[in-house]
Each structure stands twice: as C-alpha cells, then as structure tokens.
C-alpha cells in the first residue's frame, strides 16, 4: 500500500500515540469527503494570528476525473462565501506554488467516560492536509468543482436543480484548489482505559458509570422553504439524509467496539 | 451592551455579510462552551503551513471564577493530548504575551437547498477567538481548568468520579490558557434565497424541492465499558445526553424559522 499513501515527513507525522495515525489515501480522502464542514487555516501576515474559516469542500482531480480517491492523489476543492478574505491576503505569504494552507476534517464519535477525569477521552476521526491553494480561474474546472462539491454533500442535487449555472454565477463563485503537499489522519477508538488503583476501589467502581456516549450528525426531517411548491420531499433527499444519519450512528457505535487505539 | 462585547478591529471584523456578525460575550462564549470540539490553529515557524488541532476546552476565569461568561471577559482553557506539539514550537513565534493562537467553534445547523446550486448554503453558528496561549503551571489553576473542562462537557461528571486527581495526574496534564485578544461570531439562519428568474420558471419550481435539512449532534444510548459494574446509566448522564440532543435539534429548527441572515 506504500504507493497509495502520503509520505510521512516532519509536518504530517503523528508522533504522540503514533498507532492512532494513518497516511493512506482512502482514510484521509474519505474523511474530507464525508465531513460536512472543513476548517481551513492560513496565515495573514498583517497580524500574528492564523485565520480559521469553516468552509465546505471535497477532494477531486480535474486532470484525472475518473481517478479513485481511495487509491490516487487528489486535490481539495473548497468553496465559501468568506474566501474573499483569503485572497485579499498580501501575496507575501504566497509562493509560486500558491498560498500555504491547512485543511482539517473532524468527526467526534463519542465521549469516553472513565473512573477519573484524567482518563476521560473522545472517540474521533480527524484528517489534516497541508498544501498550496490557488483560485480556480478556468471556467470548466470551476464547473467541475461546483458540481463535485454540490453532489458530495447531497448526491444527485446538481442534476435535480437548475443547471448549468449562469455565466454571472460562474464568474462570481470563488473556488479554491488545494494541491496537497502532505496529509495524515488520526483516529481514536475503543472504550475507557483505567488505572489499576481505581479498579481496585470497589466503592468507586460500583458507583461510577463508565463507558462511551456515542455522538453523530443527525439529519432531521426537512423543512420546506417559503418558495417550495413540492408537497413531498424528493426521494433522493430523504434517502440521503436517512442513510447519512444511520451511517453516522453506525460509525459511532463501531468505534466503541473496535480495539482501542 | 458596548461594555459587554469584544472590540471590533481589523482582525475580528466580519466584513462580508456583516449582518451575520456578532461581538457580544454571550454569543461568543456560549459557542465556545457548547461546542464539543474546538479547532485550534497556530504557526509552526519550521514550515509554511499553520497547524490545526481538534481539542476540547471551554471559557473560564481563574481570577474571577464567579464571573458570568455572558457578561464578562473570559479566558479559554484548552486541554488535549496533542498539545505537546504546541509547546515544542520554537519560542521565536511566541511573544511575552504568549503564543499567538486562534480558536474556532462551529455548529452546522442545516443544509439550505435552493433551486440552483449557486444559492445553496448552510445554516451555521461559528465563533473565532484570537489570543495568546500559555501553559498553565499553577496547580490550583490547573485543577480549576480540569474541573471546568470536565463539567463543561458533561455537567456533574467531576463530582461523580474519582477526584481529586493524583499529583502525577495533575503534573502530566497539559492545560493551555488563552488570553483573548479579540473575537467574533458569525451566524447564518433562515431558508433559501432564490433568483427571480428561477422563481418564474414554473416547471423548475414544481419539480425541485427547496428548503432546509436540519442537522445536530445526536448523543446516543451510552455503551458500558468493559470495566463498568453499574447496571444502569446514571441519571445525570442520561439527562445530559437527552437534553443536549434535544437542544441541538431545537436550535437547528429555530435557525430555519429565524429571519434569514
């Protein structure tokens, strides 16, 4: 699998609790493509604090659109209203390769409760990618990315709404392409770990519930907008939101059963 | 309310869609204290990419512990296994005030579906704080922060588990205190907005469901760990996870009903 993963180097190596680390395309790209929110960070040279923006996006490969994201390198396409801030950033921080940027996808899968607060933890899956961002200027690539991002969040929505976008829409949409330099994932699974001394304390053990409270994104019953004229929610929307919630639930419970890491 | 909010300045001003911005302590601190995951970003001078770490934390004020976070300035206390990376960062990027750091809390409240992908959006609530991080070295303050963070995620867990921490536990826990320099929140509510031209397209309107699919964190039925000896989950845990899920659900639906911003 060595050819199907990101190279481990200083910036992306998971050092602490290294067994929780993963570098393969499948794990990392799946996290970016299933997290409904990505956090994007970049440096604004006008002050000392990095910027963090919540945005939406997914992986893609415009030059090789049929490539399998589980087995091939990908770019990350990001779309967001706030991206104007990104590109007002003085170019001093951007290199020829683009603006250095970090993208993170995080799922919380559960709260892990042990006998003592010190051993409480969380089950989670998170990916982080370091790369260089550029504004997509080519209309075809913008269209590719808009379609990809729309259908990544809700499959078939693109075909089931008014497309193609108008020229004005295409020209006023900011799409970022991030060339990934390196990436890694980190996953925590299992139940609580305990100190031996605490386990010997029978009163404590008998009086303290320990285990995991699972958590997932629940997509609820859709609410029609003021302009909606369809009596029922379309099947592909219902199917998606029910399946997505079930998948989140299954992942959260599976994480508990997996060998702890 | 001017005295109960963060000053608007270049770094935290919400410029695009300014009506979505908020600067008051109540909105901002509530987001930090209810989001189960915070994203923390800082600069590692050894490479061009900012670091993003998912961590847990909440607001607090060790010097004025009874101060109301809805009406008073607060610090943010952060705890995480990975924080070692934070403090291996060469001190060249840290000033006397501490290491410049950015903390973000984001809730996704719904997917907003319009007639055309260009007008799709998300309902969300997000806060971002810019500040200076220092490792907490004082044992009392560490204890204060550990208790605060534990009970912030699950009320009463501290008192209902083995406390106080041992000296070894206290000394091996890394707690960060972030002095907030500035902060802001951004909230998007309401349903889809549409183009007039699309609304005149009767076939499109009659064939395209539009509205909002709400989403929230659902805390599921707790799973006991291997070492658990309590037959039933304790009431304060059940109460919390049911209430927390309901609150998330209510927030997601309320966001749809609120005037769009």
């Amino acid at each position: 699998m060595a050819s199907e993963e990101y190279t481990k180097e200083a910036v992306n190596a998971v050092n602490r609790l290294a067994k929780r680390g993963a570098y393969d395309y499948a794990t990392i790209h799946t996290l970016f493509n299933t997290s409904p929110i990505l956090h994007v960070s970049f440096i604004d040279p006008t002050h000392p604090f990095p910027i963090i923006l919540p945005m939406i996006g997914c992986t893609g490969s415009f030059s090789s659109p049929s490539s399998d994201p589980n087995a091939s390198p990908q770019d990350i396409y990001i779309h967001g209203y706030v991206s104007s801030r990104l590109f007002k950033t003085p170019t001093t921080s951007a290199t020829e390769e683009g603006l250095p940027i970090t993208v993170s996808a995080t799922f919380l899968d559960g709260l892990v409760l042990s006998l003592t607060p010190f051993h409480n933890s969380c089950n989670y899956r998170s990916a982080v990618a370091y790369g260089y961002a550029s504004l997509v200027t080519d209309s075809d690539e913008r269209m590719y990315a808009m379609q990809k991002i729309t259908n990544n969040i809700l499959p078939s929505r693109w075909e089931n709404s008014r497309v193609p976008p108008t020229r004005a829409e295409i020209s006023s949409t900011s799409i970022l392409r991030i060339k990934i330099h390196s990436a890694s994932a980190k996953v925590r699974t299992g139940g609580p770990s305990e100190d031996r001394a605490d386990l010997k304390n029978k009163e404590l053990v008998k009086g303290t519930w320990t285990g995991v409270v699972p958590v997932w994104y629940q997509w609820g019953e859709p609410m029609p907008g003021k302009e909606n004229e369809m009596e029922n929610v379309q099947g592909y929307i219902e199917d998606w939101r029910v399946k997505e919630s079930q998948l989140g639930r299954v992942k959260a419970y599976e994480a508990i059963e997996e060998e702890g890491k």
Side-chain angles (χ1 to χ4, degrees), chain A:
Chain A
M1 296 284 285
S3 63
E4 299 186 355
E5 61 179 39
Y6 290 100
T7 307
K8 199 166 153 181
E9 51 183 81
V11 68
N12 68 329
V14 175
N15 296 315
R16 185 171 159 104
L17 300 171
K19 66 179 173 167
R20 291 185 185 170
Y23 301 89
D24 61 292
Y25 295 145
T27 301
I28 292 168
H29 297 161
T30 299
L31 285 167
F32 284 116
N33 289 333
T34 52
S35 177
I37 287 272
L38 304 177
H39 283 83
V40 170
S41 182
F42 59 97
I43 295 167
D44 177 346
T46 64
H47 61 75
F49 313 106
I51 304 295
I52 304 182
L53 298 174
M55 294 175 97
I56 62 165
C58 64
T59 73
S61 174
F62 182 60
S63 59
S64 177
S66 60
S67 64
D68 177 6
N70 289 329
S72 317
Q74 297 272 294
D75 298 328
I76 298 176
Y77 287 98
I78 294 279
H79 167 61
Y81 292 123
V82 279
S83 64
S84 61
R85 187 163 184 174
L86 255 164
F87 294 96
K88 283 181 187 157
T89 299
T91 48
T92 47
S93 69
T95 68
E96 270 179 39
E97 296 176 275
L99 180 76
I101 203 165
T102 306
V103 188
S104 147
T106 308
F107 285 91
L108 183 65
D109 286 327
L111 179 61
V112 181
L113 297 169
S114 78
L115 291 168
T116 184
F118 180 77
H119 283 293
N120 288 352
S121 186
C122 289
N123 283 339
Y124 64 88
R125 289 163 286 149
S126 72
V128 63
Y130 306 96
Y132 294 95
S134 307
L135 258 183
V136 176
T137 51
D138 178 77
S139 291
D140 289 346
E141 188 174 357
R142 265 193 209 182
M143 187 86 98
Y144 166 82
M146 284 170 78
Q147 177 167 359
K148 196 99 188 170
I149 292 169
T150 303
N151 282 346
N152 181 69
I153 208 164
L154 170 47
S156 306
R157 181 63 184 179
W158 183 268
E159 303 79 61
N160 283 283
S161 48
R162 194 266 295 152
V163 285
T166 64
R167 284 174 72 171
E169 288 172 351
I170 295 176
S171 67
S172 66
T173 298
S174 298
I175 301 273
L176 272 178
R177 185 205 320 104
I178 297 162
K179 292 271 171 209
I180 301 177
H181 171 80
S182 66
S184 60
K186 204 169 171 188
V187 178
R188 198 275 182 202
T189 58
S193 62
E194 306 286 3
D195 268 350
R196 286 194 189 175
D198 287 330
L199 289 172
K200 284 181 189 155
N201 181 341
K202 291 297 165 198
E203 195 186 348
L204 174 71
V205 173
K206 285 192 188 308
T208 311
W209 187 88
T210 58
V212 181
V213 190
V215 66
W216 62 90
Y217 286 118
Q218 181 74 34
W219 294 89
E221 202 179 319
M223 289 285 287
K226 284 176 198 157
E227 254 88 46
N228 176 66
E229 292 190 13
M230 293 200 85
E231 202 174 328
N232 298 312
V233 181
Q234 286 163 292
Y236 73 96
I237 302 174
E238 273 300 279
D239 291 350
W240 160 75
R241 69 117 187 150
V242 169
K243 202 181 116 191
E244 200 65 15
S245 303
Q246 279 171 347
L247 191 67
R249 186 181 193 285
V250 166
K251 282 274 185 193
Y253 280 97
E254 276 180 358
I256 305 172
E257 298 307 321
E258 273 176 40
E259 196 190 346
K261 60 179 183 181

